[in-house]
């Protein structure tokens, strides 16, 4: 189950974000009934969260709050069922930084939603090797999503 709440005050293609989350979860073999919450917030709220949870100033683009620490299953395992957690996106920040990343505002939001989902699944980018694995997977999932829609 994917629940999306838009508290950002900005019009966003909510259906596309839910469809992308489902697509990425399916690609990663996450149980179809695993629960994911997506919250879209304004810059002030995101700045508050960024300080409170990361001890960093100013708004950021995406934050992830894992719950049950679900992981993608190996080929011989059943998909895990549980609470993935929460992804918090700030549409105004993602739109503002899209051009510097060579993306449209929608494609930047797509990229960051997948990025947040990967964090919920235990991926990280603190170390160079981890970063390569995570960003390569992020790129492959977004490319597969784009290809599935054209």
């Amino acid at each position: 189950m994917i629940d999306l709440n838009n508290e950002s005050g900005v019009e966003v293609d909510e259906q596309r974000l839910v469809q992308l989350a489902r697509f990425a979860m399916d690609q990663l073999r996450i149980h179809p009934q695993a629960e994911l919450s997506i919250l879209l917030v304004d810059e002030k709220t995101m700045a508050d969260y960024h300080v409170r949870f990361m001890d960093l100033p100013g708004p950021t683009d995406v934050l992830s709050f894992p719950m049950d620490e679900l992981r993608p299953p190996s080929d011989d395992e059943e998909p895990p069922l549980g609470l993935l957690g929460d992804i918090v996106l700030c549409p105004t920040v993602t739109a503002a930084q899209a051009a510097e990343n060579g993306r449209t505002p929608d494609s930047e939001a797509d990229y960051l939603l997948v990025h947040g989902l990967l964090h919920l699944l235990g991926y990280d980018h603190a170390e160079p090797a981890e970063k390569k694995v995570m960003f390569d997977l992020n790129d492959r999932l977004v490319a597969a999503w784009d290809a599935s829609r054209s």
Side-chain angles (χ1 to χ4, degrees):
M1 181 182 91
I2 300 170
D3 183 42
L4 186 144
N5 289 304
N6 186 353
E7 300 174 4
S8 70
V10 176
E11 190 172 317
V12 174
D13 188 346
E14 297 170 19
Q15 183 178 359
R16 189 189 86 256
L17 291 175
V18 170
Q19 290 171 341
L20 168 57
R22 170 57 47 215
F23 177 86
M25 289 168 61
D26 289 347
Q27 293 292 303
L28 294 165
R29 297 188 57 240
I30 303 304
H31 198 287
Q33 293 177 338
E35 294 182 40
L36 171 66
S37 173
I38 303 166
L39 178 61
L40 308 177
V41 298
D42 60 31
E43 288 186 37
K44 180 186 180 316
T45 302
M46 185 59 106
D48 291 345
Y49 287 169
H50 204 207
V51 169
R52 186 176 347 157
F53 298 109
M54 303 297 289
D55 202 24
L56 295 169
T60 189
D61 46 19
V62 63
L63 290 170
S64 297
F65 301 96
M67 295 296 284
D68 289 345
E69 297 186 8
L70 301 180
R71 301 293 181 258
S74 62
D75 290 340
D76 60 343
E77 292 178 323
E78 288 296 313
L81 178 60
L83 299 175
L84 276 167
D86 303 324
I87 299 171
V88 182
L89 282 171
C90 184
T92 55
V93 172
T94 62
Q97 73 187 25
E100 68 190 54
N101 292 319
R103 300 184 185 105
T104 65
D106 281 349
S107 64
E108 182 74 1
D110 292 352
Y111 188 87
L112 291 166
L113 178 67
V114 171
H115 187 87
L117 177 63
L118 292 176
H119 274 304
L120 293 180
L121 293 168
Y123 291 89
D124 199 5
H125 47 83
E127 300 297 323
E130 292 175 329
K131 182 177 181 177
K132 179 168 178 27
V133 168
M134 182 177 182
F135 281 65
D136 285 354
L137 180 55
N138 205 138
D139 290 342
R140 284 196 312 272
L141 288 168
V142 171
W145 164 249
D146 289 343
S148 77
R149 299 177 71 224
S150 53

